[in-house]
DNA sequence: ACAATCCTTACTAAATTAGTAGGGTATTAG
DNA sequence: CTAATACCCTACTAATTTAGTAAGGATTGT
């Protein structure tokens, strides 16, 4: 388990997708504009997200990305793992005996913690965040302005 | 909140200190040997740990490091924050309006998550790990075999 | 056809992480 | 006192990761 800016970008981008899920696909250009990172870097991240089925690309005009699964089936851990390849937990594996085997228990402890952290993040789904009252408020305001646009690009059927 | 190998080194090192707290100070050389990282790098980490009062250096022959506070008053979050300076959460602050202010809510959401993560890690203290049954078992075995040696060479045995 | 958008690859620059080197300072056993 | 131990500090380097650039495809709605 590792958590860096890369993971943060991925998680916030996925939040964005979750919030606008009903309004049709979200373009990377929008996210790039919002988060202030380059389009290409986002494309790298989304390549991984797509490979793991977390997002689904929609090509052509009016296209973009949408969630690959329902928001309540996507956990924060899923996202972090998809983009932030995990840490190599032990260095003294096998060849080194770690001070006559006695001290290796700290690695066991770390694994313990790492698992707990994973479980914690795995218990938080994207859908939880949309329930946040403050988000609902803002989101509703958005809907009124965006729904007309959404009518021009109506909900595309799941062509897959 | 950020979590990298640096944080892992610090946390495992602190676990080591917590386990051997009764046996006197733990030397960086021992930890270096255990974790397979250089002494100098450890010294850099421990400089930060010392500055935040998480550890206490004991100089002279037989010296080393010990916990700066009782193990139950040191959380994993404390350690991670001490060595892994936190992520800069927002880029579009102030000058950039984040898509007319609408999309900035993802940053709010990230903060929300980040706080939850912090609280989670803050709720895990070092003393919890020592209670781990498997650790107690190994730790006890160590004590019995090493305590006599430890009495002759008070700090720790590094015989080979 | 055309433009919007995803998709892919290759390369580069900046930042961070990890490690080295070498000097110093405080402590204490003998 | 002296020497050994071990903390403390600064500066440098190498490796890795992060972030960005560039350029070109592929797909699809209008």
């Amino acid at each position: 388990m590792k958590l860096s800016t890369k993971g943060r970008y991925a998680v916030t981008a996925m939040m964005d997708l979750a919030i606008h899920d009903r309004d049709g696909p979200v373009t990377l250009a929008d996210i790039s504009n919002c988060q202030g990172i380059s389009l290409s870097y986002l494309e790298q991240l989304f390549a991984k997200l797509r490979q793991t089925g977390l997002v689904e690309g929609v090509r052509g005009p009016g296209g973009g990305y949408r969630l690959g699964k329902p928001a309540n089936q996507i956990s924060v851990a899923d996202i972090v793992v998809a983009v932030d390849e995990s840490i190599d937990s032990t260095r003294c594996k096998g060849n080194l005996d770690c001070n006559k085997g006695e001290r290796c228990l700290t690695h066991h402890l770390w694994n313990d913690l790492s698992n707990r952290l994973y479980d914690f993040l795995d218990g938080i789904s994207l859908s939880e965040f949309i329930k946040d009252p403050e988000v609902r408020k803002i989101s509703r305001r958005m809907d009124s302005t965006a729904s007309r646009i959404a009518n021009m690009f109506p909900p595309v059927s799941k062509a897959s």
Side-chain angles (χ1 to χ4, degrees), chain A:
Chain A
M1 208 69 199
K2 186 177 163 186
L3 195 53
S4 62
T5 56
K6 205 170 180 176
R8 180 169 64 83
Y9 287 144
V11 171
T12 51
M14 290 292 283
M15 287 170 175
D16 208 326
L17 260 59
I19 293 168
H20 300 88
D21 205 29
R22 298 177 304 160
D23 312 338
V26 176
T27 70
L28 291 190
D30 277 352
I31 298 176
S32 166
N33 182 35
C34 170
Q35 305 219 16
I37 57 178
S38 78
L39 191 64
S40 291
Y41 192 48
L42 270 177
E43 285 177 339
Q44 290 174 34
L45 295 183
F46 271 76
K48 292 187 177 180
L49 293 175
R50 203 178 60 88
Q51 280 161 22
T52 51
L54 293 177
V55 300
E56 181 185 33
V58 179
R59 290 165 122 148
Y65 283 98
R66 57 169 47 153
L67 297 182
K69 304 188 241 182
N72 61 0
Q73 287 175 33
I74 298 178
S75 75
V76 174
D78 289 335
I79 303 168
V80 171
V81 166
V83 300
D84 262 335
E85 49 272 358
S86 74
I87 260 174
D88 58 330
S89 147
T90 56
R91 271 200 171 179
C92 71
K93 201 116 183 188
N95 52 349
L96 221 160
D97 222 350
C98 210
N99 233 358
K100 299 179 292 302
E102 288 162 349
R103 280 248 168 80
C104 240
L105 79 167
T106 56
H107 293 143
H108 165 73
L109 289 179
W110 172 261
N111 268 13
D112 194 12
L113 173 64
S114 192
N115 289 340
R116 281 212 241 175
L117 179 58
Y118 179 88
D119 290 340
F120 174 69
L121 292 180
D122 198 44
I124 304 179
S125 72
L126 281 183
S127 61
E128 261 189 70
F129 285 98
I130 310 182
K131 290 176 193 159
D132 185 315
E134 190 165 347
V135 174
R136 287 193 89 90
K137 196 171 54 183
I138 304 177
S139 192
R140 199 165 317 162
R141 175 158 58 78
M142 274 191 59
D143 288 347
S144 59
T145 60
S147 56
R148 286 173 298 118
I149 305 171
N151 283 341
M152 302 195 238
F153 308 95
V156 189
S157 55
K158 213 171 215 168
S160 66

